[in-house]
Amino acid sequence: MSGNNYASPIESILHEGRVFAPSEEFRARALMNDPAEYERLWRESIEEPDAFWSRVASELHWFQPWQKTLEWDCPWVKWFSGGQLNLSYNCLDRHVASARRNKAAIIWEGEPGEIRTFTYQQLLTEVEKFAGVLKRLGVQKGDRVAIYMGMAPELPIAMLACARIGAPHSVIFGGFSASALVDRIHDCQATLVITQDGSFRKGTEVKLFPVVEEALKACPAVQSVVVLRRTGTPIEMQAGRDYWWHELMATAKPGTRAEPLESEHPLFILYTSGSTGKPKGVLHTTGGYSVGTYLTTKWVFDLKEDDIYWCTADIGWVTGHSYILYGPLQCGATVLMYEGAPNHPQLDRFWDIIERHRVNILYTAPTAIRTFIKWGDEHPNAHDLSSLRLLGTVGEPINPEAWMWYREVIGKNRCPIVDTWWQTETGHMMLAPVPGVVPTKPGSATRPMPGVLAEIVDKDGNVVPDGQGGFLVIRRPWPGMLRTIYGDPQRYVEQYWSQIPGSYFTGDGAHRDKDGYFWIMGRVDDVINVSGHRLSTMEVESALVSHPAVAEAAVVGRPDEVKGQGIVAFVSLNHEHREAGMLPGLKEELRKWVSKEIGSLARPDEIRFTEILPKTRSGKIMRRLLREIASGGEIKGDVTTLEDFSVLARLKEEE
Ligand code: WT7
């Protein structure tokens, strides 16, 4: 973590005075619509967490009731100890035993336009069969399964099948490269990989199997690969290792029961970027994660039995895990799932989907909203969006202008907007409005959810006065919190629990206003947020440095109108390559190199060659200065620790 950010006070500059209460129409129908009642429940969740969480947990099915709601030995936590449950059971079997049996669980739309609907019964049957397939391939309780797929309905089927037999899954976003795949498969020691030939995006094929094929050259521990046929492109399979999904399923029988699992049984590992290079395998376990995603889905989305709910995230990110799959299915919702891009075949695809499926709840990201603004109002305006009743956003701070556009152009001033702050590590929403009772303000994720004791503190952990910027911390354990970093408990302790001893350190700067509303100001560490996707500057730097021409690299974020942050890389070349630096071709080559090393989401927007990087006397790259240069601003603040003052002048010249 860069020391510089810690020393500099975070200033809050945003002044936003607008407040929007839910309409009377929305409020009257909302599940939670009495502010005094919500206040009472919130207080109970803090003062008597056992009572509060026990009541929520008892809405789910437990094979064995828990004995202790919470055991807390900071930073090690156990929720619902002694209890046994299965998340696949709570998502499927529980509903199949009720009137929801024939309700649509997933309505899937492929990018080319086909639609497939799975009722709860049908989904259960598929999951039971695939769970049987996994067992037949030798997967046992506790074994890790890596999943590298596009947004096919078989992806949630695979995840639910893993959860059913207690095999933790690690879903790897389909945009990651072979070497990113190798790192993750190695780290979690997966023995089976589930993938597909390819996926459709923007009318072309994103190849997936060939990436796995390449990765597996470096992953000898992987014994089998299950391949879903989606695009039909011929692929070469390796006998004895690779199997077609449809062939395995053709002879599979339903009936694989949901294994009763200890509450703390590992559910999944999801890799995310930290402030050092190596991605962190965030580990979530069964009981607490189930209860936390269940409650937040129900309350924040105000889910009704007849809603069609659409979260536009990719399941490869935590948003998809918690709010396409596990939260909504535990609630018995109807989830819409879309495979492809928002601009295929035309710029109005999302609005067309909303109109045709009569979507009621839309959950998307600020970067998408800003893109839609750029594309023009005529696209949403050409469609009937009157089915929408609630809008949500997640992934990064939303600027008030984008928030207002979302409200006016998409929500027609009728739909509350839930801005939800949370992280891969938190598992579920932490700051968010419950829309029938909490008025919203453009740009604020409003207030902590029940059970969440959030505070803004200075670097010594003292609460700062309202209105003053500081670090966002969480003072108490919550059900869906990460349990550790897979294989690296030390890093878990250092990363989250050592900055402010006894508190969970989020890595975000924020301030709280006089009404108790939280305003997130972005990361305070070396993590950048590109289109709502977290990247570590170190990760991009190490990819650059692995290129033979590069001696040293420093990567920073700069504000980007659409993506939130763009990536600027300052690169110094090896001596023998200095001349090559004059060739514009090398910049493009390096951008491609990073795509290949990590994935296209990490491709730098700009590369600047420089002879030397600004460093402190102790040799640390001064990213703060580079950030200022990259944003085109004046160099402000303290430069007294800079080792060589002439560097600054030279960096400016090279712009
Ligand atoms: C980081 C977590 C949670 C799923 C998507 C990202 C930023 C997330 C908000 C929001 C302001 C937000 C934070 C956070 N962030 N949601 N509503 N307002 N900032 O998950 O990759 O784990 O990233 O995203 O900086 O720390 P993630």
Side-chain angles (χ1 to χ4, degrees):
M1 212 166 267
S2 116
N4 302 322
N5 293 305
Y6 278 77
S8 61
I10 303 166
E11 280 174 40
S12 66
I13 39 160
L14 190 70
H15 292 290
E16 173 58 58
R18 288 169 287 199
V19 184
F20 295 92
S23 70
E24 193 38 45
E25 186 197 350
F26 185 93
R27 208 194 57 80
R29 286 200 62 218
L31 291 176
M32 175 75 67
N33 59 11
D34 176 357
E37 168 73 356
Y38 183 59
E39 202 58 42
R40 193 186 65 72
L41 286 167
W42 196 89
R43 275 194 185 292
E44 183 199 31
S45 77
I46 298 297
E47 283 156 17
E48 291 169 75
D50 284 15
F52 179 85
W53 289 114
S54 291
R55 212 173 41 244
V56 178
S58 60
E59 292 180 28
L60 300 173
H61 175 86
W62 295 76
F63 296 104
Q64 195 63 248
W66 61 94
Q67 262 112 47
K68 276 198 178 141
T69 309
L70 169 65
E71 287 172 80
W72 179 228
D73 175 16
C74 184
W76 310 106
V77 74
K78 286 183 183 162
W79 280 92
F80 310 110
S81 299
Q84 287 186 358
L85 78 168
N86 186 294
L87 183 47
S88 169
Y89 188 98
N90 275 311
C91 286
L92 301 168
D93 308 59
R94 197 164 54 96
H95 306 308
V96 165
S98 79
R100 287 186 184 132
R101 177 175 174 218
N102 298 319
K103 177 178 174 176
I106 296 178
I107 301 174
W108 175 84
E109 181 163 314
E111 193 183 71
E114 66 274 59
I115 291 168
R116 292 169 69 190
T117 300
F118 295 81
T119 65
Y120 274 94
Q121 176 66 66
Q122 289 167 334
L123 191 61
L124 173 61
T125 303
E126 293 303 299
V127 169
E128 285 182 342
K129 282 166 67 180
F130 196 67
V133 164
L134 291 175
K135 281 188 159 180
R136 199 153 32 113
L137 291 173
V139 179
Q140 291 179 4
K141 178 174 161 182
D143 290 349
R144 275 80 56 214
V145 173
I147 305 182
Y148 183 68
M149 294 177 81
M151 287 282 283
E154 286 81 1
L155 169 55
I157 290 169
M159 293 162 76
L160 288 161
C162 288
R164 198 164 186 83
I165 62 172
H169 55 69
S170 184
V171 180
I172 301 158
F173 172 62
F176 278 116
S177 67
S179 60
L181 209 55
V182 172
D183 289 345
R184 289 159 175 77
I185 290 174
H186 265 308
D187 190 80
C188 73
Q189 294 284 298
T191 49
L192 183 129
V193 179
I194 307 168
T195 187
Q196 57 191 74
D197 46 4
S199 179
F200 291 114
R201 194 159 172 102
K202 275 197 224 169
T204 59
E205 183 183 8
V206 178
K207 292 197 188 308
L208 295 166
F209 180 80
V211 181
V212 171
E213 174 89 280
E214 183 175 346
L216 291 196
K217 287 180 196 150
C219 304
V222 172
Q223 284 155 16
S224 355
V225 181
V226 180
V227 189
L228 174 77
R229 180 179 280 159
R230 167 67 184 131
T231 56
T233 312
I235 57 170
E236 220 165 284
M237 294 181 114
Q238 193 172 306
R241 188 195 67 184
D242 305 341
Y243 304 88
W244 282 115
W245 175 292
H246 61 268
E247 286 178 4
L248 294 168
M249 288 292 266
T251 55
K253 299 219 169 16
T256 302
R257 67 181 190 116
E259 187 84 26
L261 301 170
E262 294 296 324
S263 178
E264 286 299 333
H265 187 78
L267 175 67
F268 67 82
I269 299 163
L270 186 59
Y271 287 87
T272 189
S273 300
S275 46
T276 58
K278 193 170 169 271
K280 302 181 283 194
V282 169
L283 179 78
H284 284 288
T285 59
T286 308
Y289 177 85
S290 297
V291 173
T293 51
Y294 167 71
L295 178 82
T296 49
T297 306
K298 186 166 118 176
W299 282 12
V300 175
F301 293 124
D302 185 46
L303 268 184
K304 303 283 162 45
E305 206 54 64
D306 57 358
D307 276 328
I308 294 194
Y309 161 88
W310 182 23
C311 166
T312 69
D314 191 289
I315 294 187
W317 309 110
V318 74
T319 306
H321 283 57
S322 300
Y323 297 107
I324 294 180
L325 190 54
Y326 292 125
L329 292 195
Q330 283 187 97
C331 292
T334 296
V335 173
L336 184 99
M337 184 177 166
Y338 170 57
E339 176 183 45
N343 54 352
H344 187 82
Q346 257 133 34
L347 300 179
D348 66 343
R349 182 64 180 264
F350 273 23
W351 322 119
D352 179 50
I353 289 176
I354 290 169
E355 179 172 12
R356 277 186 292 106
H357 292 279
R358 310 304 295 148
V359 171
N360 306 104
I361 302 170
L362 173 68
Y363 189 34
T364 192
T367 183
I369 296 167
R370 289 190 299 263
T371 305
F372 298 138
I373 296 175
K374 228 170 79 176
W375 287 348
D377 295 7
E378 62 272 27
H379 306 293
N381 287 346
H383 292 275
D384 175 6
L385 305 180
S386 62
S387 57
L388 289 174
R389 62 177 197 86
L390 181 65
L391 305 172
T393 118
V394 62
E396 55 177 308
I398 181 164
N399 43 313
E401 300 69 45
W403 196 98
M404 288 306 296
W405 182 89
Y406 198 26
R407 179 181 160 85
E408 286 162 12
V409 180
I410 306 307
K412 315 289 178 205
N413 296 311
R414 285 183 297 104
C415 310
I417 296 178
V418 290
D419 177 351
T420 61
W421 178 91
W422 56 295
Q423 308 177 298
T424 305
E425 293 87 341
T426 70
H428 50 78
M429 298 164 182
M430 300 294 279
L431 306 175
V434 171
V437 288
V438 178
T440 55
K441 304 184 184 189
S444 168
T446 76
R447 295 168 32 181
M449 289 298 293
V452 176
L453 197 61
E455 274 172 346
I456 315 239
V457 300
D458 63 20
K459 63 182 193 326
D460 302 317
N462 303 310
V463 175
V464 302
D466 283 345
Q468 194 174 309
F471 305 116
L472 176 64
V473 297
I474 315 291
R475 300 288 206 188
R476 295 263 185 94
W478 63 97
M481 66 186 263
L482 80 164
R483 298 305 195 257
T484 190
I485 292 184
Y486 190 77
D488 199 349
Q490 191 56 34
R491 193 169 174 203
Y492 166 72
V493 176
E494 278 162 17
Q495 190 87 49
Y496 304 108
W497 299 96
S498 302
Q499 266 84 6
I500 312 292
S503 295
Y504 171 83
F505 189 77
T506 64
D508 279 352
H511 76 272
R512 199 172 74 166
D513 69 17
K514 59 179 185 350
D515 303 324
Y517 280 52
F518 286 72
W519 300 78
I520 305 293
M521 296 173 315
R523 301 290 305 195
V524 295
D525 52 15
D526 289 323
V527 169
I528 44 184
N529 190 328
V530 179
S531 301
H533 298 140
R534 210 204 288 189
L535 286 168
S536 138
T537 54
M538 256 73 131
E539 217 171 329
V540 183
E541 284 162 12
S542 43
L544 282 165
V545 173
S546 71
H547 187 281
V550 176
E552 209 175 15
V555 166
V556 296
R558 69 155 175 232
D560 182 287
E561 221 178 276
V562 172
K563 298 194 288 185
Q565 283 192 295
I567 304 176
V568 181
F570 293 84
V571 171
S572 72
L573 297 173
N574 281 323
H575 209 67
E576 62 273 29
H577 286 90
R578 289 265 161 85
E579 286 303 302
M582 299 298 122
L583 302 172
L586 185 58
K587 287 195 178 177
E588 197 41 41
E589 186 182 321
L590 290 176
R591 297 174 73 231
K592 285 212 185 99
W593 179 268
V594 176
S595 292
K596 199 176 150 279
E597 288 292 301
I598 306 175
S600 54
L601 70 164
R603 183 186 3 233
D605 295 279
E606 191 186 340
I607 298 217
R608 295 193 188 184
F609 291 130
T610 168
E611 259 181 57
I612 191 164
L613 292 166
K615 291 193 184 153
T616 62
R617 283 180 202 120
S618 62
K620 276 192 183 168
I621 294 175
M622 296 182 79
R623 286 200 179 68
R624 177 175 56 83
L625 297 183
L626 294 175
R627 267 196 292 274
E628 283 162 7
I629 293 168
S631 326
E634 277 300 302
I635 313 284
K636 295 186 284 285
D638 190 12
V639 291
T640 48
T641 50
L642 189 62
E643 183 212 22
D644 174 1
F645 281 95
S646 67
V647 167
L648 272 189
R650 271 183 275 162
L651 277 171
K652 297 283 287 179
E653 273 163 29
E654 281 166 41
E655 269 173 40

